[in-house]
Amino acid sequence: MNINHIPTKTILAALAVAALPVAALAAPGSSPAPQTVAATTACPSGWGSLPEANARMVQSPAVGVRTGRHACFDRLVVDLQGRAPGYDVRYVSNVTQDGSGFVVPLRGGAKLQLIVRAPSSKPLKAPDVRGYDTFRQVAYAGSFEGQTTLGLGVRARLPFRVITLSDRLVIDVAHHW
């Protein structure tokens, strides 16, 4: 490597940065000057926007829906009274009500249809998602023949993942690609 082509300021800056740890070791009784380190969040990767499904049906009912905001994604949780069910989560042009086929209006640039393979004995209260980075609206679309459908309006067609836990179904939608 020919250092004649590297500006002197660049070489001096590199030497100064390299000397900081050495200076801290050289004076064991003194405290080094506070350093500012930019915090970065490592967002999960490997998600996609293609359908995800599991055909397992359960009798334990879906009893609630809640949401949460995270640094890299927005989260929707379907709580169950018992074992976690199967599911079918996919982007669709329109989410429709179970049984009737009526279109469920949703705000946002894209619509995720969440079919939870568990019944719900009463309509699930849709949480308010105003102020979320990705979510625009959650809507209950009905329960029919042992499955419950929810609509999720999102800002755009973004990557998502589905996680099943012992008593809940979790859908995370990333803030960015």
Side-chain angles (χ1 to χ4, degrees), residues 122-153:
K122 60 182 180 175
L124 301 177
K125 185 178 184 310
D128 183 5
V129 293
R130 281 181 288 195
Y132 280 55
D133 290 335
T134 298
F135 291 173
R136 296 295 179 255
Q137 184 181 1
V138 179
Y140 174 75
S143 185
F144 186 71
E145 296 185 349
Q147 67 183 26
T148 302
T149 301
L150 298 165
L152 179 58

Side-chain angles (χ1 to χ4, degrees), residues 53-153:
N54 177 324
R56 179 178 58 238
M57 297 288 290
V58 297
Q59 295 301 313
S60 52
V63 294
V65 179
R66 55 195 165 96
T67 58
R69 296 172 10 177
H70 296 265
C72 300
F73 55 87
D74 290 344
R75 171 170 283 176
L76 180 131
V77 178
V78 180
D79 290 310
L80 299 140
Q81 193 173 29
R83 202 173 122 203
Y87 54 85
D88 187 312
V89 180
R90 65 183 60 228
Y91 281 103
V92 295
S93 22
N94 286 303
V95 174
T96 56
Q97 289 180 351
D98 288 332
S100 71
F102 293 129
V103 172
V104 176
L106 288 170
R107 290 186 295 278
K111 298 165 181 77
L112 264 174
Q113 176 177 276
L114 316 164
I115 297 175
V116 182
R117 303 211 188 282
S120 64
S121 57
K122 60 182 180 175
L124 301 177
K125 185 178 184 310
D128 183 5
V129 293
R130 281 181 288 195
Y132 280 55
D133 290 335
T134 298
F135 291 173
R136 296 295 179 255
Q137 184 181 1
V138 179
Y140 174 75
S143 185
F144 186 71
E145 296 185 349
Q147 67 183 26
T148 302
T149 301
L150 298 165
L152 179 58

